[in-house]
Amino acid sequence: MKTKFVYLSILLAFSLSGVNAAVPDCQSVVIGSGVAGMKAAMDLKDGGNKVCLIEKMPFPGGATNLAATYFVAVGTKEQKAAGKFISVDDYVARQKKMLPNVDVDKLKAQMLCSQKNLDYLNSLGANITRVLSDYQIGTADGTSLGSSIVKVMFKALKEKGVAFYPNTKALDLVLKNGVVTGVKVRSGNEEFVIPTKNVILATGGFAHNQKLVKKFAPEWAGLPTTTAVGSTGDGLEMAVEHGAKTAYTDVVRMNPSVHSENGVNSSLSAARAEGGIMVNLDGKRFCNDYYPDYTQLSRWLQKQKGSMAYIVIDNKAMKASKRLQGFKDKGYFLQADTLAELAKKMGVPPKALEETAKRYSEFVKNGKDLDFGRQHNLTLDFSQPPYYAVKTQPGIQVTLGGIDVNNNMQVIKKDGGFFPNLYAAGEVTYDGSFRPGPTAVGLYQGHIAAQNILRKSN
Ligand SMILES: Cc1cc2nc3c(=O)[nH]c(=O)nc-3n(C[C@H](O)[C@H](O)[C@H](O)COP(=O)(O)OP(=O)(O)OC[C@H]3O[C@@H](n4cnc5c(N)ncnc54)[C@H](O)[C@@H]3O)c2cc1C
């Protein structure tokens, strides 16, 4: 059937009120309704800009919905009160030591917005107040960070009356003489162009697109991902197609503890956090199983037989975590009353597993891991049967490189210069800091992109 191209201004579309309404002209189109896109859209609306927020899925939030634990913030009054304070300068210096390629100016600019970001989300009701460390804050009651953020931001977005178009997929950008004039979209069976003066690409990462993982981060091709199904790199591909520059697309944040069951990939990091050790098919530990660099940890795991490991815990660890109990109820864990029986179920030599557990419980007793120097959560003494093991492999959690942007979030061209009215924000970008806290960076970048559009249009 011949594809129909029509302009959105003559279409009827879904509006937030839930009724069909005539679509206004869009001065700005924001593509993607994760934290970056929602923030940009709300700021634009607040500034009097006619903004349309389009989303290919039937619901908002993207990978932001999945953000599990911590919002990155530094030097806040909450951290000061909790005695976990570090200055922004000291934090930046610490990051630079760990990540020599980090852009210190960009990281500093992001971190100086910590209090503002936090106050903004909490003013909407996100309740991100539980200080976890000098750079991490979680929700007060430990509920998932991302779902709290999406819930309160989407509510605010509706209250402001931002025009939101779910089930509307951006297919391409329309450019004339290097300036974006529209976005080609598909909604239902229709394909049409939304004319616009500005576009913000906030389409998230690309970990759910094996073709792009193979192209950009081949080291991790073929592995599962814990990210959202919508994270297929659409914005990255569109921008590259029109000559955008990319940076560090090979850099990803791995999750070393992914369990795959019936096509669902779940993060079992909680099992290590509760003290669990990683054991290979020889029944042996092979690294510091609580090493803070998850990508390095994943590399060690990749080198093991079958590129997999079991995380082993005892009942004390299981009882401490509701999340783990939920996974147990889903049947993810092997279970046995003795380590020898558990080893048989795992297919590892029973003697070796018993030896590993005996040696490790000595380390726990003495507070020193003589084999691999594990320092954190050195608690598993195997004192409480039954024992549990869950099969895990590495998976991609967040992509850290992407479209290169300038300080206004304008997309930089491969051949020099930048697109004057094409912006990018969130996981679709290379942000300069390798996204220590992706939700915080998305919030910051969405805000900056919107402010720049507003400044230019006034
Ligand atoms: C398991 C897991 C745990 C995490 N834990 C944390 C954490 O503790 N703390 C933290 O800060 N971060 C965490 N993150 C990372 C964080 O969730 C994301 O990196 C971040 O929220 C991405 O925000 P975004 O707005 O850039 O993209 P997203 O939230 O992914 O939003 C992008 C949106 O764009 C839509 N879209 C894509 N293509 C198109 C198209 N062509 N047309 C229209 N719409 C499109 C998508 O459907 C999606 O809704 C975690 C991620 C995962 C997967």
Side-chain angles (χ1 to χ4, degrees):
M1 203 182 76
K2 210 172 139 216
T3 316
K4 277 190 252 167
F5 283 90
V6 282
Y7 274 84
L8 188 63
S9 52
I10 57 163
L11 280 181
L12 295 179
F14 181 85
S15 80
L16 273 178
S17 60
V19 293
N20 285 338
V23 177
D25 291 339
C26 304
Q27 284 176 295
S28 303
V29 175
V30 178
I31 309 174
S33 66
V35 62
M38 282 200 280
K39 177 63 176 154
M42 279 197 273
D43 281 11
L44 285 167
K45 178 79 181 173
D46 284 345
N49 190 279
K50 277 188 260 169
V51 57
C52 300
L53 175 61
I54 67 170
E55 168 57 55
K56 69 178 174 181
M57 304 300 283
F59 51 84
T64 304
N65 284 308
L66 303 173
T69 345
Y70 59 84
F71 189 77
V72 164
V74 169
T76 63
K77 62 179 187 314
E78 288 81 354
Q79 284 156 319
K80 207 167 207 170
K84 291 182 176 164
F85 181 86
I86 186 172
S87 71
V88 168
D89 283 334
D90 286 350
Y91 173 77
V92 170
R94 192 167 80 191
Q95 286 294 102
K96 176 79 182 160
K97 229 186 235 170
M98 207 167 66
L99 301 165
N101 291 333
V102 84
D103 179 329
V104 289
D105 294 331
K106 285 193 172 172
L107 177 61
K108 186 170 175 178
Q110 289 164 14
M111 289 306 134
L112 284 171
C113 289
S114 295
Q115 189 73 60
K116 193 168 146 192
N117 284 341
L118 201 60
D119 290 349
Y120 169 76
L121 289 174
N122 285 336
S123 74
L124 301 181
N127 225 355
I128 304 168
T129 53
R130 195 163 49 99
V131 174
L132 304 172
S133 75
D134 61 12
Y135 72 102
Q136 299 165 308
I137 307 193
T139 55
D141 60 359
T143 50
S144 145
L145 172 79
S147 55
S148 304
I149 291 177
V150 172
K151 191 170 139 203
V152 299
M153 286 186 81
F154 191 60
K155 181 167 173 275
L157 191 118
K158 282 196 286 183
E159 284 165 4
K160 284 181 196 294
V162 172
F164 176 61
Y165 302 91
N167 297 309
T168 304
K169 180 175 180 177
L171 303 173
D172 199 1
L173 302 168
V174 182
L175 279 95
K176 202 172 172 192
N177 302 325
V179 174
V180 180
T181 58
V183 181
K184 182 179 163 189
V185 302
R186 184 188 305 127
S187 179
N189 294 324
E190 305 277 10
E191 285 187 11
F192 48 90
V193 173
I194 306 174
T196 184
K197 291 189 165 60
N198 306 286
V199 169
I200 301 179
L201 296 166
T203 47
F206 63 86
H208 226 288
N209 182 335
Q210 271 302 324
K211 192 186 85 192
L212 290 191
V213 172
K214 210 167 170 181
K215 177 174 169 187
F216 288 125
E219 181 182 4
W220 308 110
L223 292 176
T225 176
T226 51
T227 198
V229 287
S231 299
T232 47
D234 303 9
L236 175 63
E237 278 194 303
M238 276 183 250
V240 167
E241 182 67 28
H242 290 284
K245 181 172 175 271
T246 60
Y248 293 103
T249 45
D250 57 330
V251 186
V252 303
R253 182 164 302 137
M254 296 298 293
N255 182 324
S257 308
V258 178
H259 177 80
S260 304
E261 187 108 2
N262 300 326
V264 177
N265 302 319
S266 308
S267 170
L268 266 290
S269 293
R272 290 182 303 107
E274 294 303 337
I277 56 168
M278 282 160 70
V279 167
N280 63 17
L281 287 175
D282 295 326
K284 293 181 178 157
R285 289 176 73 219
F286 50 90
C287 65
N288 172 351
D289 17 37
Y290 212 72
Y291 195 69
D293 178 344
Y294 285 3
T295 301
Q296 180 53 49
L297 197 43
S298 298
R299 286 199 177 102
W300 287 326
L301 175 47
Q302 276 286 82
K303 288 200 184 117
Q304 304 310 304
K305 267 185 214 160
S307 303
M308 57 146 293
Y310 283 98
I311 304 176
V312 180
I313 57 171
D314 72 356
N315 198 37
K316 192 162 56 174
M318 179 60 81
K319 279 193 307 197
S321 167
K322 281 216 167 78
R323 187 170 163 84
L324 293 183
Q325 288 159 32
F327 289 138
K328 185 180 91 159
D329 294 344
K330 286 183 179 162
Y332 291 6
F333 282 92
L334 301 171
Q335 177 180 343
D337 287 334
T338 66
L339 284 165
E341 275 175 59
L342 186 69
K344 277 187 210 147
K345 290 184 178 175
M346 293 159 66
V348 309
K351 274 259 161 311
L353 184 65
E354 283 174 332
E355 272 302 307
T356 298
K358 192 168 160 220
R359 186 168 171 77
Y360 190 76
S361 48
E362 280 298 306
F363 297 161
V364 170
K365 200 165 88 192
N366 300 324
K368 203 168 170 85
D369 173 7
L370 294 177
D371 288 341
F372 300 106
R374 175 170 173 164
Q375 290 171 342
H376 303 287
N377 308 36
L378 191 63
T379 51
L380 180 66
D381 58 7
F382 296 93
S383 60
Q384 280 191 27
Y387 302 106
Y388 299 92
V390 60
K391 190 174 174 180
T392 56
Q393 63 178 325
I396 306 180
Q397 187 125 306
V398 183
T399 46
L400 300 181
I403 301 170
D404 206 358
V405 285
N406 65 17
N407 289 341
N408 295 324
M409 304 307 144
Q410 284 156 310
V411 173
I412 295 176
K413 290 181 179 172
K414 199 168 58 185
D415 306 331
F418 57 87
F419 294 91
N421 63 344
L422 177 61
Y423 298 78
E427 202 181 321
V428 71
T429 67
Y430 160 62
D431 69 333
S433 69
F434 300 105
R435 263 184 275 288
T439 51
V441 174
L443 198 68
Y444 166 84
Q445 291 184 315
H447 173 70
I448 298 289
Q451 293 312 314
N452 197 57
I453 290 174
L454 292 172
R455 216 174 16 251
K456 283 201 312 181
S457 41
N458 286 334

